[in-house]
Amino acid sequence: GAALLWAGAGALVNLKYSVEEEQRAGTVIANVAKDARDAGFVLDPRQPAAFRVVSNSAPHLVDISPGSGLLVTKQKIDRDLLCRQSPKCVISLEVMSSSMEICVIKLEIKDLNDNAPSFPTDQIELEISETASPGTRVPLESAYDPDSGSFGVQSYEITPNDLFGLETKTRGDGSRFAELVVEKSLDRETQSHYSYVITALDGGDPPNFGTVELSIRVIDSNDNNPLFEEPAYTVSVPENAPPGTPVIRLNASDPDEGTNGQVLYSFHSYVSERARELFQIDPQSGLITVSGAIDYEEGHVYELDVQAKDLGPNSIPAHCKVTISVQDANDNPPLINLLSVNSELVEVSENAPPGYVIALVRVSDRDSGANGRVQCKLLGNVPFRLQEYESFSTILVDGRLDREQRDQYNLTIQARDNGIPSLQATKSFTVKITDENDNHPHFSKPYYQVIVQENNTPGAYLLSVSARDPDLGLNGSVSYQIVPSQVRDMPVFTYVSINPNSGDIYALRSFNHEQTKAFEFKVLAKDGGNPSLQSNATVRVIVLDVNDNTPVITAPPLVNGTAEVYIPRNAGVGYLVTVVKADDYDEGENGRLSYEMVEGDRGFFEIDQVNGEIRTTRAFGENAKTAYELIVVAHDHGKTSLSASALILIYLSPALDAQESIGSVNLSLIFIIALGSIAAILFVTMIFVAVKCKRDNKEIRTYNCRIAEYSYGHQKKSSKKKKISKNDIRLVPRDVEETDKMNVVSCSSLTSSLNYFDYHQQTLPLGCRRSESTFLNVESQNSRNAGSNHIYHHTFTGQSPQQPDLIINGMPLPE
């Protein structure tokens, strides 16, 4: 059976068992897994106990099954062979669980009385002088029993018990021997030879025994026998004493003279061979000296049985016992044994908590006493510590481990004994810190900014983001992706893309600064750990303006690139003709505009380069022409400047006062004048037109359209068609005012015909709006632009959709 004792504290459990020797192989001694769990081990009952034996003093005899946790024998255990006669026979095991908990197992091997005492020889022969007095003692050879303790030799018996008796004595090592005691006087002449049987018995029940035959021959002797001063001597000798070192000088006195008093010393026959190798005795002087290498660790005590015998006839030898104790010397340094899977390299996770056991250390010293007491420590400033127990020590994590800061430590264990002088030993090993996914990817900066010009090529490289993860392997491999977001109501994935491996970011479209001046998005960096860790950074893309927008002239309003402006004829120097305004969607210098006149009548006008104001530089006389042309250019300040141009037509209108306020037409006054003089006006107009057309035909040599048409049927056709000059064509509207159904001449028609204006200048106002006139579509657009800049189309809000009359030299053409 197996007895169990346990005591646990924290991650250490002590278990004690016992088993009798001679058990067959495969005998189950104990269930270590169950006992360890009961003692406080944290083991998952659903999984087999993952035990690992890190130390076993008898691996050939016992072992622990890693799956079941059973302690079993591997072969039959012979205690007598394993521990000989030691009073205690213990096998030690250290076991570590998968959770790095430690279990110390002590297995005591119980002795069985399976051996009987035996003598080294079959017969013991002694010679005793007849003069030996009662009480004389003669040591006998000891019997040997490999069993220990009470199962060893306990007593001796002699048969028959008549003249001699036996006394059992104990040596310093615990072994027992017998001394033959003369109990009655001897007479050689009566009986010279005796035969006895010596029996050695052990302590078994029933006891085992062994016998030897004792043959005693009674001899005649001289009068005096040698005599030692003491029956026993105890001396000590230092370990490693050199050969020849004196141990003790024995002196056995014999008062006889001559050879009867000459004493010779010798070891008794049953002194062991090892003792004879280590010590020798001088036969003449009785000096015992060292003759071999004495090692305390090999033997602590030696007993020498010495006899002194004179050279006379029938000498009776004297006997004494010399016990030599070997004094231990501190001649053995401590021995350090690292108990781990690999004695040179220990691996531990960087997430190991404080108190986590990484290895076991067993330190021993063969010396005894203070020489064998060892103190251990861990050298250096390292995040580990050494915790000592009775038979071993553990190395524990004692701080935070971070593989990214330091991936391995070289630990040195120092063991020093308490001898004088002290001896020490060191053992170094490497602790490798294994990686855990405990670091997030870290961007080189949290905010990235890139500046790119608009109109970039789709697919163009923008920038690279970089995140570093100091972990190893997949824990440190970083991949990139763009976090979904919106840019101008569009997914960011339509603007940019990212290489998941390199972090390179590319444009997916051509950016337009006028639509998107800048946009932001986030980039996510993830490592390959399980679970993965991640972080993000912000990327801002700034789109720079490029001079890609041409200025557009917005004022004055242009029709086919041309604008008409009317100013009084008596306008003075500095009169504001108009303000040219242009828009440019670009920004900065690309959108900053300047104005200038490049062609035309630049001698009469000047333009402000900044605000586009066109002003007169001289006064216009009575003989000044009625129309002026200016080509104005608005250009930006980009590196490659873009520009827009416009043709400004400036017409002079007669006026009494250039500063007179021009108001809107007074309709009531027009109605009164029109109703009172409509008949006179029509009559006078007809006479004026007829006279004027006739006079103009003579002076300017032009045709009146209506006269020509009228006379076409009454006159002969001319062989040559007469050309009509653009200066001869005037536009006269015939719209009817919706309010009072009267014919009113618009201001544009008035100002477009000086003759007509002169005729009506006293009845019509000067204030007219420029926006009421457009080009007249008399011919095709191209021919009109090329041929005449003085043909206009006027739109009125009249009742009748009548078209204006075409007047040549003041005479209207027939319909």
Side-chain angles (χ1 to χ4, degrees):
L4 166 64
L5 291 172
W6 61 265
L12 175 65
V13 173
N14 291 311
L15 299 177
K16 293 184 178 180
Y17 304 99
S18 64
V19 63
E20 292 182 345
E21 65 172 333
E22 303 298 328
Q23 298 291 331
R24 63 182 178 84
T27 299
V28 177
I29 300 173
N31 189 338
V32 177
K34 178 180 178 302
D35 296 338
R37 188 180 294 110
D38 294 341
F41 259 34
V42 181
L43 300 175
D44 190 350
R46 298 171 297 180
Q47 297 182 355
F51 281 113
R52 177 166 59 90
V53 177
V54 296
S55 175
N56 188 349
S57 61
H60 60 292
L61 297 179
V62 294
D63 198 4
I64 293 182
S65 173
S68 63
L70 297 177
L71 178 62
V72 297
T73 60
K74 297 179 68 176
Q75 65 180 40
K76 186 173 70 172
I77 301 176
D78 187 352
R79 183 193 186 284
D80 309 316
L81 182 62
L82 177 65
C83 298
R84 299 193 181 275
Q85 290 183 320
S86 299
K88 282 275 189 178
C89 185
V90 178
I91 297 175
S92 298
L93 299 92
E94 279 87 17
V95 179
M96 185 179 295
S97 71
S98 58
S99 57
M100 295 298 289
E101 294 172 310
I102 304 163
C103 180
V104 179
I105 300 172
K106 299 291 186 181
L107 176 61
E108 181 180 0
I109 309 301
K110 296 291 187 180
D111 190 24
L112 294 177
N113 192 19
D114 56 345
N115 293 282
S118 61
F119 288 90
T121 61
D122 296 334
Q123 186 177 19
I124 300 175
E125 294 182 354
L126 290 179
E127 290 181 349
I128 300 178
S129 173
E130 63 178 343
T131 60
S133 61
T136 301
R137 296 172 180 270
V138 178
L140 300 178
E141 289 189 65
S142 301
Y144 173 74
D145 191 333
D147 293 327
S148 65
S150 61
F151 294 142
V153 177
Q154 297 297 314
S155 63
Y156 293 89
E157 296 178 354
I158 186 170
T159 306
N161 186 3
D162 48 12
L163 296 178
F164 300 93
L166 286 180
E167 184 175 338
T168 303
K169 291 193 174 183
T170 304
R171 292 189 177 93
D173 60 358
S175 62
R176 296 176 183 264
F177 68 96
E179 286 185 343
L180 183 68
V181 181
V182 179
E183 295 183 347
K184 296 179 180 180
S185 298
L186 301 176
D187 185 1
R188 187 187 66 81
E189 290 73 24
T190 302
Q191 185 176 349
S192 63
H193 187 274
Y194 297 90
S195 293
Y196 295 93
V197 175
I198 304 297
T199 302
L201 296 93
D202 62 21
D205 185 19
N208 294 325
F209 62 89
T211 60
V212 65
E213 184 179 347
L214 175 61
S215 178
I216 301 175
R217 187 168 63 90
V218 180
I219 60 174
D220 193 17
S221 64
N222 52 27
D223 294 328
N224 295 288
N225 298 320
L227 181 64
F228 285 102
E229 295 176 355
E230 299 289 340
Y233 298 90
T234 300
V235 295
S236 61
V237 61
E239 179 184 17
N240 301 324
T245 301
V247 178
I248 188 173
R249 184 185 294 275
L250 298 176
N251 184 20
S253 60
D254 190 336
D256 293 331
E257 294 182 356
T259 57
N260 290 336
Q262 185 178 354
V263 179
L264 294 180
Y265 301 91
S266 65
F267 290 141
H268 201 280
S269 61
Y270 51 78
V271 172
S272 68
E273 289 296 326
R274 181 57 181 162
R276 293 175 184 271
E277 293 176 359
L278 296 178
F279 303 98
Q280 65 182 10
I281 187 169
D282 189 309
Q284 304 296 330
S285 65
L287 177 63
I288 299 176
T289 57
V290 176
S291 61
I294 301 176
D295 189 355
Y296 174 86
E297 288 70 41
E298 180 184 346
H300 305 339
V301 178
Y302 295 92
E303 291 185 352
L304 304 177
D305 291 304
V306 180
Q307 70 178 7
K309 186 177 182 180
D310 61 28
L311 298 180
N314 304 319
S315 174
I316 298 176
H319 297 85
C320 76
K321 180 187 294 184
V322 177
T323 301
I324 302 176
S325 297
V326 179
Q327 294 179 340
D328 183 37
N330 193 22
D331 60 341
N332 291 285
L335 180 63
I336 302 173
N337 185 22
L338 181 67
L339 306 177
S340 65
V341 177
N342 187 340
S343 62
E344 302 298 330
L345 179 65
V346 176
E347 291 188 350
V348 58
S349 168
E350 62 178 329
N351 285 346
Y356 185 82
V357 179
I358 67 171
L360 274 70
V361 178
R362 184 186 295 279
V363 179
S364 60
D365 193 322
R366 296 179 62 194
D367 297 322
S368 64
N371 296 332
R373 288 194 294 270
V374 181
Q375 294 178 341
C376 292
K377 66 178 179 178
L378 202 59
L379 301 181
N381 185 17
V382 292
F384 302 94
R385 64 183 174 91
L386 195 70
Q387 182 169 334
E388 295 187 73
Y389 295 94
E390 180 182 354
S391 59
F392 64 92
S393 300
T394 57
I395 300 178
L396 312 174
V397 176
D398 191 37
R400 181 178 179 272
L401 302 179
D402 190 348
R403 188 207 62 81
E404 289 69 39
Q405 294 185 3
R406 188 168 180 180
D407 61 354
Q408 71 177 27
Y409 294 86
N410 292 323
L411 301 187
T412 299
I413 302 172
Q414 183 188 72
R416 182 188 297 270
D417 61 29
N418 292 331
I420 300 175
S422 176
L423 298 180
Q424 69 178 33
T426 59
K427 183 174 181 62
S428 298
F429 62 98
T430 300
V431 178
K432 181 179 180 182
I433 311 301
T434 59
D435 186 53
E436 296 290 341
N437 190 25
D438 58 346
N439 287 279
H440 291 76
H442 178 70
F443 281 94
S444 57
K445 49 187 177 179
Y447 185 85
Y448 292 82
Q449 180 171 293
V450 62
I451 299 175
V452 59
Q453 290 187 339
E454 64 176 331
N455 304 326
N456 57 287
T457 304
Y461 169 80
L462 296 180
L463 79 159
S464 292
V465 297
S466 176
R468 179 181 174 272
D469 193 324
D471 294 324
L472 290 178
L474 290 177
N475 295 336
S477 64
V478 180
S479 61
Y480 304 91
Q481 65 185 62
I482 295 176
V483 178
S485 61
Q486 298 287 320
V487 179
R488 292 177 57 87
D489 298 329
M490 293 291 289
V492 69
F493 306 112
T494 63
Y495 281 76
V496 290
S497 67
I498 191 169
N499 186 311
N501 298 320
S502 65
D504 295 338
I505 299 177
Y506 301 90
L508 293 182
R509 62 168 61 184
S510 180
F511 301 140
N512 188 343
H513 174 81
E514 287 70 40
Q515 293 181 356
T516 307
K517 294 179 175 57
F519 62 93
E520 288 185 356
F521 58 91
K522 290 186 179 296
V523 175
L524 188 70
K526 297 176 62 177
D527 61 28
N530 186 20
S532 65
L533 302 178
Q534 62 188 31
S535 61
N536 59 63
T538 301
V539 178
R540 179 175 178 83
V541 179
I542 297 176
V543 182
L544 289 183
D545 184 43
V546 174
N547 194 21
D548 59 344
N549 287 283
T550 303
V552 176
I553 296 177
T554 58
L558 302 179
V559 177
N560 294 329
T562 303
E564 297 176 353
V565 178
Y566 296 88
I567 64 174
R569 177 178 292 275
N570 60 352
V573 176
Y575 182 83
L576 178 61
V577 177
T578 187
V579 178
V580 178
K581 293 292 183 181
D583 289 337
D584 192 323
Y585 293 114
D586 294 321
E587 292 183 351
E589 290 298 297
N590 296 331
R592 186 169 67 87
L593 300 177
S594 295
Y595 305 90
E596 61 178 331
M597 298 182 297
V598 296
E599 291 185 20
D601 301 311
R602 290 183 289 177
F604 294 88
F605 307 93
E606 64 179 358
I607 188 169
D608 189 296
Q609 293 185 351
V610 176
N611 56 31
E613 293 180 351
I614 299 178
R615 295 182 181 272
T616 59
T617 60
R618 62 179 67 178
F620 301 96
E622 291 296 331
N623 297 326
K625 60 182 181 179
T626 61
Y628 296 87
E629 294 183 358
L630 290 176
I631 296 180
V632 178
V633 174
H635 63 83
D636 58 32
H637 287 257
K639 289 186 178 180
T640 302
S641 179
L642 301 178
S643 61
S645 61
L647 173 62
I648 307 297
L649 298 178
I650 302 173
Y651 296 100
L652 299 182
S653 299
L656 296 177
D657 185 0
Q659 302 299 325
E660 182 181 349
S661 175
I662 301 176
S664 59
V665 177
N666 191 331
L667 296 181
S668 299
L669 179 62
I670 295 177
F671 293 158
I672 295 174
I673 297 175
L675 291 175
S677 59
I678 185 172
I681 292 174
L682 293 176
F683 180 73
V684 172
T685 300
M686 291 176 61
I687 296 175
F688 173 78
V689 170
V691 174
K692 183 65 176 176
C693 286
K694 184 176 181 180
R695 186 181 61 202
D696 288 345
N697 286 334
K698 292 180 180 181
E699 295 177 357
I700 310 176
R701 301 181 61 82
T702 59
Y703 291 96
N704 182 287
C705 297
R706 293 186 178 181
I707 295 176
E709 182 181 1
Y710 178 76
S711 61
Y712 179 77
H714 302 86
Q715 296 180 5
K716 293 182 179 181
K717 294 182 178 179
S718 174
S719 59
K720 282 188 178 180
K721 291 183 180 180
K722 189 172 183 179
K723 274 190 175 182
I724 301 176
S725 172
K726 65 181 181 179
N727 293 325
D728 300 332
I729 301 175
R730 297 291 182 270
L731 189 64
V732 179
R734 294 189 299 159
D735 294 340
V736 179
E737 184 69 26
E738 182 178 4
T739 305
D740 45 15
K741 306 294 190 268
M742 292 185 62
N743 291 332
V744 179
V745 180
S746 70
C747 62
S748 60
S749 61
L750 293 176
T751 57
S752 63
S753 175
L754 294 178
N755 296 330
Y756 196 80
F757 180 82
D758 292 341
Y759 184 78
H760 295 282
Q761 64 180 349
Q762 295 180 355
T763 60
L764 295 180
L766 297 176
C768 297
R769 289 189 296 271
R770 168 68 182 86
S771 60
E772 294 178 357
S773 62
T774 58
F775 283 100
L776 173 64
N777 190 11
V778 178
E779 300 177 4
S780 68
Q781 186 69 27
N782 295 334
S783 62
R784 184 183 71 246
N785 292 341
S788 173
N789 288 330
H790 300 282
I791 302 175
Y792 304 97
H793 175 243
H794 301 269
T795 304
F796 296 84
T797 57
Q799 181 180 14
S800 174
Q802 292 178 341
Q803 296 296 325
D805 291 333
L806 189 63
I807 299 175
I808 299 178
N809 289 331
M811 299 300 294
L813 292 175
E815 295 183 357

